[in-house]
Amino acid sequence: MDLNLDAATVAFRDEVRGWLRDNIGRAPVESYDTAAGFEQHRAWEQRLSDAQLSVVSWPAEFGGRDASLLQWVIFEEEYFAAGAPPRVSANGINMLGPTLFSHGTIEQRERILPRMASGAQIWAQAWSEPEAGSDIASLRSTATRADGGWLLNGQKTWSSRAAFAEAAFGLFRSDRDSERHKGLIYVMFDLHAAGVEVRPIPQLDGETGFAEIFLDNVFVPDRDVIGAPGDGWRVAMTTANNERGLSLRSPGRFLKAADRLVELWRDNADPADTALSHRVADAWIGARAYQLYTFGTVSRLEHGAELGPESSVNKLFWSALDIDLHETALDILGPAAELHTAWLDGFLFALAGPIYGGTDQIQRNVVAERLLGLPRG
């Protein structure tokens, strides 16, 4: 692809950069894993939406501005470069939103997407179960046919944003006699509906980034089913491929962190320590390579391709890059690392990368079987 930005994209970049410069002082300061911080972040989403910057690549009718995918990547780079806060709406706009564009009805899009874009409705993931984590096909929660809809029963766990969100999306088994990838249904449900119990999971810092969700005959109308009953796995692969392949970890996040790492090395490291300097260089090159790879993905998508199992390669790469980058920073800081909260918190968060979004072991299986054509075990 042509890496020279056209005039429209340059103008877009400059607009985004200017808006962030003028508004970053009004960004939330508390974590969205607290009740007060969650509402601060919701207000930030509304501010982004008012400027048509919350979902730039979406059609204008749903709160976007019909920007190209390349312009979305540019927005992400500017967003992270400005030090803007994490997006509390990420589950919705980056995973459920693309799924609705691919598999949802017109009514579902018109009803859900505008409120998602503005932050009026924040979404939680409801994938993992006590005995079905990355191997989500082994899930046991059920959806039973009822008059006009479905009754949900079971338990979901490690549901991000569920402690304070309004709604959730996930897979349930609609055919109890089916196995693995068959007989699944993809549904959206209200976290405040009768029969839903949300139990926050306190983290070591006392915040509640995750929650358990217990469902006891929770009624979901047919209009909240995405795709056909029994076809949930195919629908879910759209969500998973977006999570692993393009939207969960945009290049802007790593470009910003890599630049910070270079600054940290210049200010603190011993230039004679060539091993450490090589690690810094490797991290910077990795961030740049990830950016260029994403540009290539964008180019393929704009020419009609779809995200497929190659997104697993992408996920393996960025999860390793995240750990290596932050681990290098801590080694530069040495014993003082524990006093640098930003780098330490980033490292602890990076350690989860090989787990969420599908563990590295599962991703390697996907690469082996679906990309390399190797036989199972």
Side-chain angles (χ1 to χ4, degrees), residues 117-199:
S118 69
Q121 187 175 44
I122 305 296
W123 289 81
Q125 297 185 53
W127 297 105
S128 297
E129 299 183 4
E131 297 184 21
S134 292
D135 186 17
I136 194 65
S138 62
L139 62 84
R140 298 182 179 182
S141 294
T142 61
T144 306
R145 203 66 173 101
D147 186 19
W150 300 81
L151 293 176
L152 306 182
N153 285 279
Q155 177 186 354
K156 299 291 184 176
T157 191
W158 301 117
S159 298
S160 57
R161 309 289 85 75
F164 307 112
E166 284 77 39
F169 57 90
L171 280 179
F172 292 79
R173 192 162 297 283
S174 54
D175 181 355
R176 298 192 183 197
D177 295 327
S178 67
E179 294 183 0
R180 304 292 297 167
H181 308 96
K182 299 179 181 179
L184 302 175
I185 188 171
Y186 194 124
V187 301
M188 304 174 285
F189 59 95
D190 185 348
L191 286 173
H192 302 292
V196 176
E197 181 184 358
V198 177
R199 298 180 188 174

Side-chain angles (χ1 to χ4, degrees), residues 255 258-259 261-262 279-289 321 325:
L255 293 170
D259 286 343
L261 179 64
V262 171
R279 290 171 61 191
V280 173
D282 284 345
W284 189 92
I285 292 170
R288 177 64 170 163
L321 173 62
L325 193 154

Side-chain angles (χ1 to χ4, degrees), residues 5-283:
L5 303 181
D6 59 29
T9 302
V10 170
F12 172 78
R13 181 198 63 194
D14 292 344
E15 178 192 346
V16 171
R17 186 177 295 174
W19 187 91
L20 288 167
R21 181 186 61 245
D22 295 341
N23 288 270
I24 197 68
R26 303 175 185 178
V29 294
E30 294 189 45
S31 166
Y32 57 32
D33 290 336
T34 65
F38 193 88
E39 293 308 314
Q40 289 180 8
H41 283 263
R42 188 197 301 275
W44 175 253
E45 294 295 330
Q46 181 66 66
R47 183 174 291 277
L48 286 167
S49 179
D50 290 344
Q52 285 189 291
L53 292 175
S54 64
V55 284
V56 295
S57 63
W58 287 13
E61 63 184 299
F62 300 126
R65 58 163 62 195
D66 296 293
S68 67
L69 279 176
L70 176 59
Q71 289 173 335
W72 172 79
V73 173
I74 297 298
F75 169 82
E76 290 286 297
E77 290 184 3
E78 295 297 324
Y79 192 86
F80 280 98
R87 304 290 299 276
V88 72
S89 62
N91 286 334
I93 63 175
N94 291 339
M95 285 179 275
L96 179 58
T99 302
L100 288 172
F101 281 120
S102 295
H103 302 283
T105 64
I106 294 175
E107 186 276 334
Q108 287 174 334
R109 296 173 196 161
E110 292 177 344
R111 171 166 53 94
I112 295 169
L113 293 178
R115 299 186 69 228
M116 182 188 294
S118 69
Q121 187 175 44
I122 305 296
W123 289 81
Q125 297 185 53
W127 297 105
S128 297
E129 299 183 4
E131 297 184 21
S134 292
D135 186 17
I136 194 65
S138 62
L139 62 84
R140 298 182 179 182
S141 294
T142 61
T144 306
R145 203 66 173 101
D147 186 19
W150 300 81
L151 293 176
L152 306 182
N153 285 279
Q155 177 186 354
K156 299 291 184 176
T157 191
W158 301 117
S159 298
S160 57
R161 309 289 85 75
F164 307 112
E166 284 77 39
F169 57 90
L171 280 179
F172 292 79
R173 192 162 297 283
S174 54
D175 181 355
R176 298 192 183 197
D177 295 327
S178 67
E179 294 183 0
R180 304 292 297 167
H181 308 96
K182 299 179 181 179
L184 302 175
I185 188 171
Y186 194 124
V187 301
M188 304 174 285
F189 59 95
D190 185 348
L191 286 173
H192 302 292
V196 176
E197 181 184 358
V198 177
R199 298 180 188 174
I201 301 175
Q203 299 167 171
L204 289 176
D205 58 7
E207 297 180 357
T208 52
F210 301 93
E212 296 177 287
I213 304 174
F214 295 85
L215 304 110
D216 182 11
N217 283 333
V218 178
F219 180 74
V220 172
D222 286 325
R223 72 173 190 164
D224 286 336
V225 174
I226 304 177
D231 199 28
W233 184 259
R234 185 176 69 89
V235 178
M237 287 304 94
T238 298
T239 307
N241 287 335
N242 272 282
E243 180 182 26
R244 298 167 185 162
L246 189 63
S247 59
L248 182 60
R249 286 290 171 266
S250 74
R253 179 179 187 275
F254 298 104
L255 293 170
K256 174 67 173 179
D259 286 343
R260 288 175 55 225
L261 179 64
V262 171
E263 292 177 6
L264 183 71
W265 174 78
R266 286 174 176 165
D267 294 340
N268 296 275
D270 179 2
D273 189 344
T274 56
L276 195 56
S277 63
H278 289 170
R279 290 171 61 191
V280 173
D282 284 345

Side-chain angles (χ1 to χ4, degrees), residues 276-313:
L276 195 56
S277 63
H278 289 170
R279 290 171 61 191
V280 173
D282 284 345
W284 189 92
I285 292 170
R288 177 64 170 163
Y290 183 47
Q291 178 196 33
L292 296 175
Y293 179 85
T294 302
F295 284 159
T297 300
V298 165
S299 181
R300 291 192 296 274
L301 292 174
E302 290 184 333
H303 285 84
E306 295 183 358
L307 287 172
E310 67 275 7
S311 61
S312 292
V313 177

